[in-house]
């Protein structure tokens, strides 16, 4: 016998013996209950048997189905209805859709026109898709200071979103946060905006001349 075992106090040994006896009794009771056809008679006391008999008389009803199982989630339908109300033509949805090839991609230069201020042009850094709360983040410069602004594409205050310049090569990331560093920052995009306006004005004037001579 181990010396450490002999050095233990008598109370701990009695506790260990009681645990072993309790385990053997529990195993014997479980085996008797499994083998007997009326387990309440051999395993439990009179008080326990009477209580179990009372409980067995109660009828257990099935669990009620949850509200999500009986009724579908109404939020997708509500969101689609709100998007149709805010964007009846579907132009904003197509502009930032994943399926269309001519949609805006991260890295492009966009110009957002609002009712409350001057148009803001900047690099398209990322998009946060959240139904009718979908928003885009643009990075530009104001007074030679880098500025980032979020615009909700379905907001009534946003009157127009134009693609000024497209990135030649598609970006490998969904968020171009590295463009905040001076090494990758595009800086001021006013030159691109002026070139886009000149091209647009030339196309409009050419179209007006064609309609005039025709």
């Amino acid at each position: 016998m181990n010396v450490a075992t002999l050095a233990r106090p008598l109370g701990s040994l009695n506790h260990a013996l009681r645990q072993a006896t309790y385990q053997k009794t529990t195993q014997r009771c479980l085996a008797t209950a499994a083998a007997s056809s009326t387990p309440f008679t051999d395993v439990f006391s009179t008080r326990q048997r009477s209580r179990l008999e009372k409980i067995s008389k109660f009828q257990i009803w099935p669990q009620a189905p949850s509200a999500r199982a009986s009724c579908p989630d109404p939020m997708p339908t509500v969101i689609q209805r709100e998007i149709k109300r805010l964007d009846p033509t579907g132009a904003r949805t197509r502009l930032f859709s994943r399926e269309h090839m001519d949609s805006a991609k991260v890295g492009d230069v966009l110009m957002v026109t609002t009712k409350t201020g001057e148009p803001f042009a900047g690099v398209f850094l990322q998009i946060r898709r959240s139904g009718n709360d979908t928003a885009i983040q643009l990075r530009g410069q104001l007074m030679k200071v880098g500025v980032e602004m979020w615009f909700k594409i379905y907001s009534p205050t946003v009157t127009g979103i134009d693609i000024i310049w497209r990135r030649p090569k598609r970006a490998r990331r969904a968020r171009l946060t590295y463009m905040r560093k001076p090494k990758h920052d595009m800086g001021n995009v006013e030159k691109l905006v002026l070139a886009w306006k000149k091209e647009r004005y030339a196309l409009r004037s050419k179209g007006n001349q064609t309609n005039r001579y025709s």
Side-chain angles (χ1 to χ4, degrees):
M1 185 179 293
N2 194 359
V3 179
T5 307
L6 292 174
R8 289 181 178 178
L10 187 60
S12 62
L13 293 177
N14 292 334
H15 180 67
L17 290 174
R18 282 197 300 270
Q19 282 187 345
T21 306
Y22 178 74
Q23 290 179 359
K24 289 181 181 180
T25 306
T26 307
Q27 292 177 359
R28 191 182 303 113
C29 292
L30 292 175
T32 306
S36 176
S37 59
T38 57
F40 295 164
T41 306
D42 300 333
V43 179
F44 303 102
S45 63
T46 306
R47 186 176 179 181
Q48 291 174 344
R49 286 199 301 271
S50 62
R51 186 177 179 183
L52 290 173
E53 288 176 359
K54 290 180 181 179
I55 295 175
S56 62
K57 292 180 181 179
F58 289 97
Q59 187 177 3
I60 301 176
W61 294 93
Q63 186 178 3
S66 62
R68 184 59 58 86
S70 57
C71 301
D73 187 10
M75 288 308 298
T77 306
V78 174
I79 291 173
Q80 291 298 327
R81 188 184 307 167
E82 192 69 13
I83 290 175
K84 288 182 180 180
R85 184 183 68 84
L86 296 173
D87 185 24
T89 60
R92 302 282 176 86
T93 305
R94 289 192 299 270
L95 184 61
F96 297 98
S97 175
R98 292 193 179 106
E99 290 80 11
H100 294 80
M101 297 297 295
D102 57 345
S103 60
K105 304 293 191 302
V106 289
D108 299 345
V109 177
L110 306 182
M111 185 175 67
V112 179
T113 307
T114 60
K115 296 180 180 179
T116 57
E118 296 182 357
F120 181 81
V123 186
F124 181 19
L125 294 184
Q126 58 178 322
I127 182 171
R128 183 178 59 199
R129 301 184 185 275
S130 182
N132 55 340
D133 290 332
T134 301
I136 58 174
Q137 186 182 24
L138 304 182
R139 178 177 176 81
Q141 270 194 359
L142 292 176
M143 303 294 293
K144 298 183 179 180
V145 178
V147 178
E148 294 181 4
M149 296 185 65
W150 284 92
F151 296 96
K152 292 187 177 182
I153 63 174
Y154 296 113
S155 176
T157 59
V158 177
T159 57
I161 302 176
D162 299 306
I163 301 177
I164 305 300
W165 177 80
R166 289 186 180 273
R167 185 186 178 98
K169 189 176 181 181
R170 185 174 181 177
R172 297 183 179 180
R173 300 184 183 181
R175 297 180 178 88
L176 305 184
T177 54
Y178 65 89
M179 298 191 72
R180 297 169 180 169
K181 299 181 180 180
K183 180 180 178 181
H184 304 282
D185 192 3
M186 290 186 64
N188 197 351
V189 295
E190 288 297 328
K191 295 181 180 180
L192 299 175
V193 174
L194 291 176
W196 175 77
K197 288 182 178 180
K198 287 181 180 180
E199 183 179 359
R200 191 176 183 182
Y201 178 76
L203 291 175
R204 283 184 178 180
S205 60
K206 187 182 295 185
N208 292 333
Q209 289 179 3
T210 304
N211 295 331
R212 184 183 303 173
Y213 292 122
S214 62

